[in-house]
Structures are given as C-alpha cells and as structure tokens.
Amino acid sequence: MHIDHYAVIGNPIAHSKSPQIHTHFAEQTVQDMDYVRLLAPLDGFQQTVFDFHTTGGRGLNVTVPFKLEAYQLADIISPRAQRAGAVNTLIFHPDGRIEGDNTDGIGLVRDLLYHHVTLQDADILILGAGGAVRGVLAPLLSEHPASLVIANRTADKAVQLAQDFSDLCAPRTRLHGCGYADLSGQTFDIIVNGTSASLSGELPPLPDDLLKPGGLAYDMAYGSEPTAFQRWAQAHGASLALDGLGMLIEQAAESFYLWRGIRPDTQTLRISMR
Ligand code: ATR
C-alpha cells in the first residue's frame, strides 16, 4: 500500500505534539499517510528538507527556529505567509515546486471563534512584537476589531509592526503600537500574549486594571500547567484564560487541509488532549 509521508521539522523537536494531532486527523479522515518528528541540525535545515522531499515526503510543518528559513527556501509563498513573514507549512507539489504557507494566524482566530469570542468591535491588546505576533495580525485585523493595540518591551518594534499592517486596517479599527508603560489607563476586552516570556515563566509588566471585567485572556504558549500570563489573567478578572493548545490544533487542521483537501474535525481532539 502507498503511504504519503509528512513530518514536523524543528530543533528541538522531541516535545512536539504535532504527530499526535496529525495521526488523529489521518485516522479520522481515513488517509493513507504517516507523520513523524524530524530533527534538523541548526545549520542543516535546507538539506534535511531536500532529503525528506526526495525520499517521498509530501509536506512539512515547520517550527522553531526554522520558520524564516522555510520562507526563504520555498519556491512559492502564499499571501498570508508573505504577510506573516514566516512559513509554518511546506507543501511539495507534484511538479517539484515547494510552496510555503502560514496557518498560525488562522489557527488563533479559529480557536477564539470556537470559544465564542467576539472579535468584531472588540478592544484587543496583543503583547509582543516578534514573529509569533506578526503571524496573527492579518487574521485578527480581518475580523474588524474596534482597536488592536500592540505592546512590546521594545516599543519601537511594536510601532513599526503597527505601521507595517496599517494597509490592512479597516477605517473603523484603531491600530497602534506602544511600550508597556503606555498601557496605563487603557482597558481591553481581549488580551493575547504573543511574547516568548511564558516559555521562561516570566510576565511582561502589565497594569493591574488592564482587562475589562469579564474579559478574555489568551496565551499563544501552552504547557502542562497554566502559564504565568494565564495565572495573572485569572487573578485580574478574566472570565476565561486560554492557552495556545487550541491554536496548535486549529493551525494543524488548516495545514492538514492544505495537504489533503479535507478539513478534519477538531472537537474530539480538543477533548482528548486536555
Ligand atoms: P517569536 O518567534 O516567539 O515571536 P521573537 O521573534 O524572538 O520570538 O519575539 C519574542 C517576543 O517576546 C518579543 O516581542 C520580545 O520582546 P522584545 O522585542 O522587546 O525583545 C518578547 N519577550 C521575550 N521575553 C520577554 C520578557 N521576559 N518580557 C517581555 N517581553 C519578552
């Protein structure tokens, strides 16, 4: 029987939950495929991709630290990957060309919508101005929030990022970049943490009354325990403080759709992975 090969490539990669997710999707939709972890040397991303491709690989998910290299390697870049400036999904076309796409941003928006979070006309704050945040700005703006404020430790990067996306901003949306100190006196319906601070158990310096009563907090990171940001949100009046596991599942579902043309159901996986 012919089997199509897929993998997630990164360094480190042992922790990745992607094989569990895609194997579930493949079983659910009855696809003849396998999906493994692929560890690439830090200086050997391109070679590892080409080797995988020539031995029958059909597609890859790309994770830390290779999303920019994947962008450079791809022959075709989707518009949303262009906007994100990074590639998390590689599709190997039958004609030999490699296409780069990015499903992270749509993953976040789908997870928020799954939790019945209204983005339209909401005041949204996003913390951080690195690659992870760049990847989610376009899909968030397309939901027409009332405001989208980007706050970052290095304020200039947030200001620049807001400028870079101003052309996607509807007239009624206020898009603004600033430092954390500038947040005092402002309140938000939704705060999304896109900094890498969670990974080291740290938290950006946030004013106490930043979240509107009953507001929602979302950490794009996830772990076996609630992150520092989730704990902060719970202590500051959040109605819901989500981690990024749902986003991971939804971005995977979108990658799966790009490869197989079938949209898997994410509901059962959400329950079994909790
Ligand atoms: P990623 O690809 O995960 O976005 P990145 O591009 O290196 O990684 O961006 C990391 C983000 O987390 C940046 O916004 C960074 O702030 P600076 O631009 O000021 O460096 C932010 N960050 C990392 N550690 C942080 C911390 N301890 N407190 C606040 N922000 C932090």
Side-chain angles (χ1 to χ4, degrees):
M1 185 178 69
H2 175 79
I3 288 210
D4 292 332
H5 303 300
Y6 297 87
V8 56
I9 183 169
N11 186 333
I13 200 63
H15 65 285
S16 173
K17 291 187 192 293
S18 292
Q20 183 187 346
I21 297 172
H22 282 280
T23 302
H24 173 94
F25 289 161
E27 284 169 8
Q28 180 202 108
T29 59
V30 200
Q31 299 292 295
D32 292 330
M33 59 179 276
D34 60 16
Y35 187 110
V36 298
R37 295 182 182 88
L38 198 56
L39 177 70
L42 290 176
D43 61 353
F45 172 72
Q46 189 165 329
Q47 191 59 49
T48 310
V49 172
F50 288 153
D51 290 348
F52 184 73
H53 191 184
T54 49
T55 53
R58 294 287 304 275
L60 287 168
N61 280 132
V62 182
T63 187
V64 177
F66 297 127
K67 290 185 185 184
L68 290 177
E69 275 187 77
Y71 185 97
Q72 284 149 7
L73 171 145
D75 304 305
I76 319 163
I77 298 284
S78 74
R80 61 187 176 185
Q82 232 155 40
R83 268 291 169 181
V87 157
N88 83 331
T89 306
L90 290 171
I91 304 144
F92 301 140
H93 288 297
D95 65 4
R97 288 187 304 169
I98 301 178
E99 181 175 355
D101 204 337
N102 193 312
T103 64
D104 287 330
I106 193 75
L108 170 66
V109 168
R110 290 234 173 96
D111 193 34
L112 288 168
L113 297 178
Y114 172 85
H115 286 96
H116 307 291
V117 178
T118 307
L119 298 169
Q120 190 175 350
D121 297 326
D123 290 314
I124 304 176
L125 170 65
I126 186 149
L127 310 174
V133 169
R134 179 176 283 274
V136 301
L137 288 179
L140 284 176
L141 283 170
S142 72
E143 297 293 321
H144 299 142
S147 64
L148 183 56
V149 174
I150 307 164
N152 194 42
R153 184 170 60 183
T154 314
D156 289 353
K157 279 167 67 178
V159 172
Q160 183 62 50
L161 205 49
Q163 263 168 26
D164 290 351
F165 282 78
S166 56
D167 61 316
L168 292 186
C169 192
R172 69 166 191 265
T173 300
R174 180 177 75 101
L175 176 62
H176 176 70
C178 63
Y180 292 120
D182 305 309
L183 293 175
S184 59
Q186 298 188 61
T187 57
F188 296 91
D189 302 297
I190 301 166
I191 307 179
V192 178
N193 181 24
T195 71
S196 49
S198 287
L199 303 176
S200 47
E202 291 169 43
L203 193 65
L206 303 175
D208 281 339
D209 46 6
L210 198 54
L211 201 53
K212 290 185 193 173
L216 174 114
Y218 194 103
D219 201 329
M220 284 163 62
Y222 64 88
S224 45
E225 301 289 321
T227 66
F229 174 68
Q230 283 177 286
R231 291 197 304 273
W232 175 88
Q234 275 154 357
H236 289 83
S239 61
L240 195 58
L242 297 167
D243 70 9
L245 182 62
M247 173 177 174
L248 179 80
I249 293 171
E250 292 297 338
Q251 65 77 28
E254 181 73 9
S255 295
F256 190 92
Y257 173 72
L258 292 173
W259 294 325
R260 309 301 300 183
I262 298 176
R263 234 173 244 295
D265 168 52
T266 57
Q267 171 80 18
T268 44
L269 195 57
R270 283 171 175 282
I271 294 162
S272 68
M273 285 184 79
R274 283 292 171 198

